Structure formats: C-alpha cells, structure tokens
PDB file of all heavy atoms in Angstrom:
ATOM      1  N   ALA T   1      74.586 136.763 192.447  1.00  0.00           N
ATOM      2  CA  ALA T   1      74.213 137.915 191.636  1.00  0.00           C
ATOM      3  C   ALA T   1      73.503 137.499 190.382  1.00  0.00           C
ATOM      4  O   ALA T   1      72.480 138.095 190.000  1.00  0.00           O
ATOM      5  CB  ALA T   1      75.451 138.770 191.309  1.00  0.00           C
ATOM      6  N   PHE T   2      74.001 136.405 189.725  1.00  0.00           N
ATOM      7  CA  PHE T   2      73.332 135.894 188.521  1.00  0.00           C
ATOM      8  C   PHE T   2      71.930 135.381 188.886  1.00  0.00           C
ATOM      9  O   PHE T   2      70.941 135.616 188.221  1.00  0.00           O
ATOM     10  CB  PHE T   2      74.204 134.814 187.911  1.00  0.00           C
ATOM     11  CG  PHE T   2      73.609 134.224 186.658  1.00  0.00           C
ATOM     12  CD1 PHE T   2      73.300 135.012 185.565  1.00  0.00           C
ATOM     13  CD2 PHE T   2      73.341 132.878 186.564  1.00  0.00           C
ATOM     14  CE1 PHE T   2      72.778 134.467 184.411  1.00  0.00           C
ATOM     15  CE2 PHE T   2      72.793 132.324 185.413  1.00  0.00           C
ATOM     16  CZ  PHE T   2      72.530 133.094 184.331  1.00  0.00           C
ATOM     17  N   ARG T   3      71.878 134.619 190.006  1.00  0.00           N
ATOM     18  CA  ARG T   3      70.561 134.080 190.465  1.00  0.00           C
ATOM     19  C   ARG T   3      69.589 135.229 190.754  1.00  0.00           C
ATOM     20  O   ARG T   3      68.408 135.152 190.371  1.00  0.00           O
ATOM     21  CB  ARG T   3      70.711 133.213 191.698  1.00  0.00           C
ATOM     22  CG  ARG T   3      69.420 132.583 192.164  1.00  0.00           C
ATOM     23  CD  ARG T   3      69.594 131.738 193.411  1.00  0.00           C
ATOM     24  NE  ARG T   3      70.147 130.430 193.036  1.00  0.00           N
ATOM     25  CZ  ARG T   3      71.373 130.017 193.315  1.00  0.00           C
ATOM     26  NH1 ARG T   3      72.172 130.770 194.030  1.00  0.00           N
ATOM     27  NH2 ARG T   3      71.780 128.826 192.941  1.00  0.00           N
ATOM     28  N   ASP T   4      70.078 136.297 191.405  1.00  0.00           N
ATOM     29  CA  ASP T   4      69.195 137.452 191.652  1.00  0.00           C
ATOM     30  C   ASP T   4      68.661 138.066 190.365  1.00  0.00           C
ATOM     31  O   ASP T   4      67.504 138.441 190.289  1.00  0.00           O
ATOM     32  CB  ASP T   4      69.942 138.505 192.453  1.00  0.00           C
ATOM     33  CG  ASP T   4      70.203 138.096 193.900  1.00  0.00           C
ATOM     34  OD1 ASP T   4      69.609 137.090 194.350  1.00  0.00           O
ATOM     35  OD2 ASP T   4      71.026 138.761 194.580  1.00  0.00           O
ATOM     36  N   ALA T   5      69.520 138.164 189.331  1.00  0.00           N
ATOM     37  CA  ALA T   5      69.068 138.684 188.024  1.00  0.00           C
ATOM     38  C   ALA T   5      68.001 137.754 187.425  1.00  0.00           C
ATOM     39  O   ALA T   5      67.043 138.250 186.834  1.00  0.00           O
ATOM     40  CB  ALA T   5      70.267 138.869 187.088  1.00  0.00           C
ATOM     41  N   VAL T   6      68.215 136.451 187.587  1.00  0.00           N
ATOM     42  CA  VAL T   6      67.194 135.485 187.090  1.00  0.00           C
ATOM     43  C   VAL T   6      65.889 135.613 187.849  1.00  0.00           C
ATOM     44  O   VAL T   6      64.822 135.598 187.242  1.00  0.00           O
ATOM     45  CB  VAL T   6      67.744 134.059 187.131  1.00  0.00           C
ATOM     46  CG1 VAL T   6      66.686 133.001 186.829  1.00  0.00           C
ATOM     47  CG2 VAL T   6      68.925 133.863 186.205  1.00  0.00           C
ATOM     48  N   ILE T   7      65.956 135.796 189.154  1.00  0.00           N
ATOM     49  CA  ILE T   7      64.775 135.952 189.956  1.00  0.00           C
ATOM     50  C   ILE T   7      64.009 137.185 189.550  1.00  0.00           C
ATOM     51  O   ILE T   7      62.790 137.171 189.408  1.00  0.00           O
ATOM     52  CB  ILE T   7      65.121 135.980 191.472  1.00  0.00           C
ATOM     53  CG1 ILE T   7      65.591 134.629 191.936  1.00  0.00           C
ATOM     54  CG2 ILE T   7      63.956 136.496 192.318  1.00  0.00           C
ATOM     55  CD1 ILE T   7      66.206 134.590 193.321  1.00  0.00           C
ATOM     56  N   THR T   8      64.720 138.290 189.331  1.00  0.00           N
ATOM     57  CA  THR T   8      64.086 139.536 188.864  1.00  0.00           C
ATOM     58  C   THR T   8      63.359 139.305 187.551  1.00  0.00           C
ATOM     59  O   THR T   8      62.209 139.754 187.367  1.00  0.00           O
ATOM     60  CB  THR T   8      65.112 140.651 188.772  1.00  0.00           C
ATOM     61  OG1 THR T   8      65.669 140.873 190.028  1.00  0.00           O
ATOM     62  CG2 THR T   8      64.485 141.951 188.249  1.00  0.00           C
ATOM     63  N   LEU T   9      64.009 138.629 186.631  1.00  0.00           N
ATOM     64  CA  LEU T   9      63.435 138.352 185.304  1.00  0.00           C
ATOM     65  C   LEU T   9      62.193 137.466 185.494  1.00  0.00           C
ATOM     66  O   LEU T   9      61.187 137.700 184.835  1.00  0.00           O
ATOM     67  CB  LEU T   9      64.445 137.681 184.411  1.00  0.00           C
ATOM     68  CG  LEU T   9      63.933 137.346 182.999  1.00  0.00           C
ATOM     69  CD1 LEU T   9      63.609 138.586 182.202  1.00  0.00           C
ATOM     70  CD2 LEU T   9      65.034 136.565 182.252  1.00  0.00           C
ATOM     71  N   ALA T  10      62.263 136.458 186.349  1.00  0.00           N
ATOM     72  CA  ALA T  10      61.105 135.586 186.575  1.00  0.00           C
ATOM     73  C   ALA T  10      59.960 136.368 187.153  1.00  0.00           C
ATOM     74  O   ALA T  10      58.791 136.149 186.751  1.00  0.00           O
ATOM     75  CB  ALA T  10      61.498 134.449 187.505  1.00  0.00           C
ATOM     76  N   ARG T  11      60.223 137.281 188.051  1.00  0.00           N
ATOM     77  CA  ARG T  11      59.146 138.073 188.664  1.00  0.00           C
ATOM     78  C   ARG T  11      58.472 139.007 187.611  1.00  0.00           C
ATOM     79  O   ARG T  11      57.301 139.363 187.758  1.00  0.00           O
ATOM     80  CB  ARG T  11      59.692 138.942 189.758  1.00  0.00           C
ATOM     81  CG  ARG T  11      59.989 138.183 191.026  1.00  0.00           C
ATOM     82  CD  ARG T  11      60.495 139.104 192.151  1.00  0.00           C
ATOM     83  NE  ARG T  11      60.743 138.317 193.319  1.00  0.00           N
ATOM     84  CZ  ARG T  11      61.671 138.637 194.225  1.00  0.00           C
ATOM     85  NH1 ARG T  11      62.387 139.738 194.078  1.00  0.00           N
ATOM     86  NH2 ARG T  11      61.873 137.918 195.279  1.00  0.00           N
ATOM     87  N   GLU T  12      59.209 139.323 186.571  1.00  0.00           N
ATOM     88  CA  GLU T  12      58.712 140.164 185.489  1.00  0.00           C
ATOM     89  C   GLU T  12      58.045 139.326 184.396  1.00  0.00           C
ATOM     90  O   GLU T  12      57.843 139.818 183.316  1.00  0.00           O
ATOM     91  CB  GLU T  12      59.831 141.036 184.927  1.00  0.00           C
ATOM     92  CG  GLU T  12      60.331 142.041 185.947  1.00  0.00           C
ATOM     93  CD  GLU T  12      61.593 142.786 185.462  1.00  0.00           C
ATOM     94  OE1 GLU T  12      62.149 142.424 184.407  1.00  0.00           O
ATOM     95  OE2 GLU T  12      62.006 143.725 186.178  1.00  0.00           O
ATOM     96  N   GLY T  13      57.822 138.071 184.683  1.00  0.00           N
ATOM     97  CA  GLY T  13      57.142 137.177 183.754  1.00  0.00           C
ATOM     98  C   GLY T  13      58.048 136.793 182.570  1.00  0.00           C
ATOM     99  O   GLY T  13      57.546 136.416 181.526  1.00  0.00           O
ATOM    100  N   GLY T  14      59.366 136.945 182.718  1.00  0.00           N
ATOM    101  CA  GLY T  14      60.281 136.600 181.682  1.00  0.00           C
ATOM    102  C   GLY T  14      60.423 137.662 180.628  1.00  0.00           C
ATOM    103  O   GLY T  14      61.075 137.480 179.646  1.00  0.00           O
ATOM    104  N   GLU T  15      59.772 138.825 180.839  1.00  0.00           N
ATOM    105  CA  GLU T  15      59.841 139.928 179.896  1.00  0.00           C
ATOM    106  C   GLU T  15      61.223 140.560 179.876  1.00  0.00           C
ATOM    107  O   GLU T  15      61.705 141.049 180.871  1.00  0.00           O
ATOM    108  CB  GLU T  15      58.817 141.044 180.281  1.00  0.00           C
ATOM    109  CG  GLU T  15      57.408 140.622 180.107  1.00  0.00           C
ATOM    110  CD  GLU T  15      56.939 140.560 178.658  1.00  0.00           C
ATOM    111  OE1 GLU T  15      57.496 141.304 177.801  1.00  0.00           O
ATOM    112  OE2 GLU T  15      56.127 139.708 178.357  1.00  0.00           O
ATOM    113  N   LEU T  16      61.880 140.497 178.707  1.00  0.00           N
ATOM    114  CA  LEU T  16      63.203 141.087 178.536  1.00  0.00           C
ATOM    115  C   LEU T  16      63.119 142.531 178.145  1.00  0.00           C
ATOM    116  O   LEU T  16      62.202 142.930 177.403  1.00  0.00           O
ATOM    117  CB  LEU T  16      63.964 140.328 177.477  1.00  0.00           C
ATOM    118  CG  LEU T  16      64.560 138.971 177.876  1.00  0.00           C
ATOM    119  CD1 LEU T  16      65.060 138.258 176.605  1.00  0.00           C
ATOM    120  CD2 LEU T  16      65.730 139.194 178.831  1.00  0.00           C
ATOM    121  N   ASN T  17      64.039 143.318 178.652  1.00  0.00           N
ATOM    122  CA  ASN T  17      64.208 144.689 178.230  1.00  0.00           C
ATOM    123  C   ASN T  17      65.709 144.948 178.252  1.00  0.00           C
ATOM    124  O   ASN T  17      66.475 144.078 178.634  1.00  0.00           O
ATOM    125  CB  ASN T  17      63.440 145.710 179.080  1.00  0.00           C
ATOM    126  CG  ASN T  17      63.775 145.602 180.521  1.00  0.00           C
ATOM    127  OD1 ASN T  17      64.961 145.716 180.899  1.00  0.00           O
ATOM    128  ND2 ASN T  17      62.786 145.463 181.368  1.00  0.00           N
ATOM    129  N   VAL T  18      66.117 146.130 177.840  1.00  0.00           N
ATOM    130  CA  VAL T  18      67.566 146.448 177.778  1.00  0.00           C
ATOM    131  C   VAL T  18      68.226 146.312 179.136  1.00  0.00           C
ATOM    132  O   VAL T  18      69.331 145.792 179.259  1.00  0.00           O
ATOM    133  CB  VAL T  18      67.764 147.821 177.191  1.00  0.00           C
ATOM    134  CG1 VAL T  18      69.262 148.194 177.176  1.00  0.00           C
ATOM    135  CG2 VAL T  18      67.248 147.873 175.753  1.00  0.00           C
ATOM    136  N   LEU T  19      67.569 146.769 180.207  1.00  0.00           N
ATOM    137  CA  LEU T  19      68.121 146.657 181.569  1.00  0.00           C
ATOM    138  C   LEU T  19      68.242 145.253 182.042  1.00  0.00           C
ATOM    139  O   LEU T  19      69.301 144.845 182.550  1.00  0.00           O
ATOM    140  CB  LEU T  19      67.320 147.518 182.519  1.00  0.00           C
ATOM    141  CG  LEU T  19      67.310 149.013 182.272  1.00  0.00           C
ATOM    142  CD1 LEU T  19      66.377 149.731 183.235  1.00  0.00           C
ATOM    143  CD2 LEU T  19      68.726 149.600 182.362  1.00  0.00           C
ATOM    144  N   SER T  20      67.161 144.469 181.877  1.00  0.00           N
ATOM    145  CA  SER T  20      67.224 143.104 182.423  1.00  0.00           C
ATOM    146  C   SER T  20      68.224 142.249 181.631  1.00  0.00           C
ATOM    147  O   SER T  20      68.923 141.451 182.199  1.00  0.00           O
ATOM    148  CB  SER T  20      65.852 142.479 182.395  1.00  0.00           C
ATOM    149  OG  SER T  20      65.320 142.309 181.109  1.00  0.00           O
ATOM    150  N   SER T  21      68.293 142.424 180.303  1.00  0.00           N
ATOM    151  CA  SER T  21      69.236 141.611 179.521  1.00  0.00           C
ATOM    152  C   SER T  21      70.646 142.045 179.846  1.00  0.00           C
ATOM    153  O   SER T  21      71.546 141.206 179.946  1.00  0.00           O
ATOM    154  CB  SER T  21      68.958 141.710 178.007  1.00  0.00           C
ATOM    155  OG  SER T  21      69.226 143.018 177.552  1.00  0.00           O
ATOM    156  N   GLY T  22      70.893 143.368 180.001  1.00  0.00           N
ATOM    157  CA  GLY T  22      72.207 143.814 180.383  1.00  0.00           C
ATOM    158  C   GLY T  22      72.663 143.273 181.726  1.00  0.00           C
ATOM    159  O   GLY T  22      73.831 142.849 181.871  1.00  0.00           O
ATOM    160  N   GLU T  23      71.761 143.237 182.686  1.00  0.00           N
ATOM    161  CA  GLU T  23      72.115 142.712 184.016  1.00  0.00           C
ATOM    162  C   GLU T  23      72.415 141.193 183.948  1.00  0.00           C
ATOM    163  O   GLU T  23      73.340 140.747 184.584  1.00  0.00           O
ATOM    164  CB  GLU T  23      70.965 142.987 185.021  1.00  0.00           C
ATOM    165  CG  GLU T  23      71.260 142.567 186.428  1.00  0.00           C
ATOM    166  CD  GLU T  23      72.346 143.441 187.072  1.00  0.00           C
ATOM    167  OE1 GLU T  23      72.717 144.530 186.576  1.00  0.00           O
ATOM    168  OE2 GLU T  23      72.851 142.991 188.133  1.00  0.00           O
ATOM    169  N   LEU T  24      71.632 140.463 183.181  1.00  0.00           N
ATOM    170  CA  LEU T  24      71.887 139.054 182.989  1.00  0.00           C
ATOM    171  C   LEU T  24      73.232 138.793 182.315  1.00  0.00           C
ATOM    172  O   LEU T  24      73.978 137.932 182.764  1.00  0.00           O
ATOM    173  CB  LEU T  24      70.782 138.401 182.188  1.00  0.00           C
ATOM    174  CG  LEU T  24      69.492 138.119 182.983  1.00  0.00           C
ATOM    175  CD1 LEU T  24      68.332 137.859 182.054  1.00  0.00           C
ATOM    176  CD2 LEU T  24      69.693 136.933 183.940  1.00  0.00           C
ATOM    177  N   LEU T  25      73.568 139.576 181.272  1.00  0.00           N
ATOM    178  CA  LEU T  25      74.819 139.395 180.601  1.00  0.00           C
ATOM    179  C   LEU T  25      75.987 139.723 181.526  1.00  0.00           C
ATOM    180  O   LEU T  25      76.995 138.984 181.553  1.00  0.00           O
ATOM    181  CB  LEU T  25      74.887 140.295 179.366  1.00  0.00           C
ATOM    182  CG  LEU T  25      73.960 139.901 178.219  1.00  0.00           C
ATOM    183  CD1 LEU T  25      73.969 140.965 177.137  1.00  0.00           C
ATOM    184  CD2 LEU T  25      74.369 138.562 177.622  1.00  0.00           C
ATOM    185  N   LYS T  26      75.872 140.786 182.273  1.00  0.00           N
ATOM    186  CA  LYS T  26      76.937 141.198 183.217  1.00  0.00           C
ATOM    187  C   LYS T  26      77.171 140.118 184.290  1.00  0.00           C
ATOM    188  O   LYS T  26      78.286 139.697 184.503  1.00  0.00           O
ATOM    189  CB  LYS T  26      76.590 142.528 183.853  1.00  0.00           C
ATOM    190  CG  LYS T  26      77.632 143.035 184.861  1.00  0.00           C
ATOM    191  CD  LYS T  26      77.252 144.385 185.416  1.00  0.00           C
ATOM    192  CE  LYS T  26      76.033 144.278 186.279  1.00  0.00           C
ATOM    193  NZ  LYS T  26      75.671 145.535 186.963  1.00  0.00           N
ATOM    194  N   THR T  27      76.099 139.732 184.936  1.00  0.00           N
ATOM    195  CA  THR T  27      76.259 138.764 186.044  1.00  0.00           C
ATOM    196  C   THR T  27      76.626 137.381 185.529  1.00  0.00           C
ATOM    197  O   THR T  27      77.354 136.621 186.215  1.00  0.00           O
ATOM    198  CB  THR T  27      75.001 138.720 186.910  1.00  0.00           C
ATOM    199  OG1 THR T  27      73.844 138.345 186.120  1.00  0.00           O
ATOM    200  CG2 THR T  27      74.752 140.034 187.630  1.00  0.00           C
ATOM    201  N   PHE T  28      76.172 137.040 184.322  1.00  0.00           N
ATOM    202  CA  PHE T  28      76.561 135.760 183.713  1.00  0.00           C
ATOM    203  C   PHE T  28      78.043 135.745 183.454  1.00  0.00           C
ATOM    204  O   PHE T  28      78.748 134.769 183.722  1.00  0.00           O
ATOM    205  CB  PHE T  28      75.773 135.531 182.395  1.00  0.00           C
ATOM    206  CG  PHE T  28      76.192 134.256 181.695  1.00  0.00           C
ATOM    207  CD1 PHE T  28      75.827 133.023 182.186  1.00  0.00           C
ATOM    208  CD2 PHE T  28      76.957 134.316 180.552  1.00  0.00           C
ATOM    209  CE1 PHE T  28      76.190 131.864 181.518  1.00  0.00           C
ATOM    210  CE2 PHE T  28      77.316 133.155 179.868  1.00  0.00           C
ATOM    211  CZ  PHE T  28      76.928 131.924 180.377  1.00  0.00           C
ATOM    212  N   ALA T  29      78.597 136.840 182.977  1.00  0.00           N
ATOM    213  CA  ALA T  29      80.056 136.971 182.711  1.00  0.00           C
ATOM    214  C   ALA T  29      80.819 136.770 184.021  1.00  0.00           C
ATOM    215  O   ALA T  29      81.812 136.065 184.072  1.00  0.00           O
ATOM    216  CB  ALA T  29      80.393 138.284 182.046  1.00  0.00           C
TER     217      ALA T  29
END
C-alpha cells in the first residue's frame, strides 16, 4: 500500500497535495 502511494506520487511528477500527502502518511504509518 505504501509502495502504491509512492508510485502514484511518482506518476504525478512528485507533486504533493493534501490527498497524496495524506495517503503517504496513512500508508507509511
């Protein structure tokens, strides 16, 4: 799940937003 969140972020060019950062924080935990 964490890897999937990282893949999504990479596909978005590393652009952070509230949804992507929230997903990374949740799956990282």
Side-chain angles (χ1 to χ4, degrees):
F2 181 60
R3 182 180 283 111
D4 289 347
V6 170
I7 290 169
T8 299
L9 181 63
R11 285 183 180 150
E12 294 171 354
E15 292 287 329
L16 282 168
N17 58 53
V18 176
L19 295 175
S20 63
S21 67
E23 186 67 16
L24 282 162
L25 290 171
K26 178 178 69 176
T27 57
F28 177 72

